[in-house]
Amino acid sequence: MSGHTENEITIAAPLDLVWDMTNDLENWPQLFSEYASVEVIRREGQTTTFRLTMHPDDNGKVWSWVSERTTDRRARTVDARRVEPGPFQHMDIHWEYEEVTGGTRMRWRQDFAMRPDAPVDDAWMTDNINRNSRVQMELIRDKIEQRDRERRSASVPAN
């Protein structure tokens, strides 16, 4: 068995701003509520290898792993995978961005499988990822829309 999730949100902001903010890895702890830190290990072309560390969970455990992320701005996609899969056999993530009426649609797709000795199974993780993706996407939407409002108001000349 394996897990699969797809979540999307429309952000009332230009694609360039959505792309820039969501692909600025060093600022992910300010964009996502779940990440305590990001450490960039190496950059090669459009591929970045980095360590993500989460805030402690309800049991006080701090989860951390290394991922590899490749951006393709022309195609408006990002592909990522966990290099250190931890409790996952594999975790592959695909992000898509699309200009739509009123802003930018951002879609996240995650394909994964939990290891047999993981503390949770594929079904539990699917529910968890779906629930958390919606929370994170709404936070990200709100922060990007706020930044867009600030940019637009700063560019309006005073009378």
Side-chain angles (χ1 to χ4, degrees):
M1 193 170 147
S2 62
H4 173 83
T5 66
E6 288 192 40
N7 291 278
E8 68 179 48
I9 196 163
T10 298
I11 302 169
L15 186 134
D16 284 341
L17 180 61
V18 175
W19 177 273
D20 290 345
M21 287 184 69
T22 58
N23 287 292
D24 181 1
L25 293 176
E26 288 85 353
N27 283 309
W28 273 14
Q30 288 73 48
L31 193 61
F32 290 82
S33 65
E34 61 190 343
Y35 300 137
S37 67
V38 176
E39 172 197 353
V40 172
I41 297 168
R42 104 178 134 266
R43 293 186 195 277
E44 295 178 18
Q46 298 307 308
T47 301
T48 304
T49 304
F50 59 100
R51 174 170 295 284
L52 270 176
T53 302
M54 298 183 78
H55 293 289
D57 66 16
D58 292 340
N59 299 317
K61 174 136 176 73
V62 175
W63 296 92
S64 183
W65 63 90
V66 173
S67 288
E68 181 179 87
R69 183 176 170 84
T70 303
T71 60
D72 184 342
R73 193 169 188 137
R74 184 175 307 168
R76 300 175 177 167
T77 62
V78 177
D79 288 300
R81 68 181 184 88
R82 284 192 179 198
V83 176
E84 292 177 359
F88 295 91
Q89 287 180 351
H90 69 90
M91 167 60 88
D92 300 307
I93 304 169
H94 180 77
W95 289 21
E96 298 174 0
Y97 301 80
E98 179 185 3
E99 287 181 292
V100 296
T101 302
T104 302
R105 179 179 303 126
M106 182 175 66
R107 180 178 297 125
W108 296 348
R109 184 176 68 232
Q110 293 173 275
D111 292 295
F112 60 91
M114 302 308 296
R115 290 187 355 207
D117 62 343
V120 299
D121 63 12
D122 292 338
W124 186 95
M125 187 56 73
T126 298
D127 289 341
N128 185 62
I129 290 172
N130 276 326
R131 200 171 34 257
N132 191 53
S133 290
R134 285 188 281 277
V135 168
Q136 296 304 315
M137 287 180 140
E138 289 172 4
L139 288 171
I140 290 167
R141 177 200 60 207
D142 294 348
K143 290 175 182 179
I144 293 173
E145 289 178 355
Q146 177 63 34
R147 174 81 52 87
D148 187 49
R149 283 190 297 275
E150 290 167 359
R151 286 178 6 153
R152 283 186 285 119
S153 66
S155 67
V156 175
N159 291 335

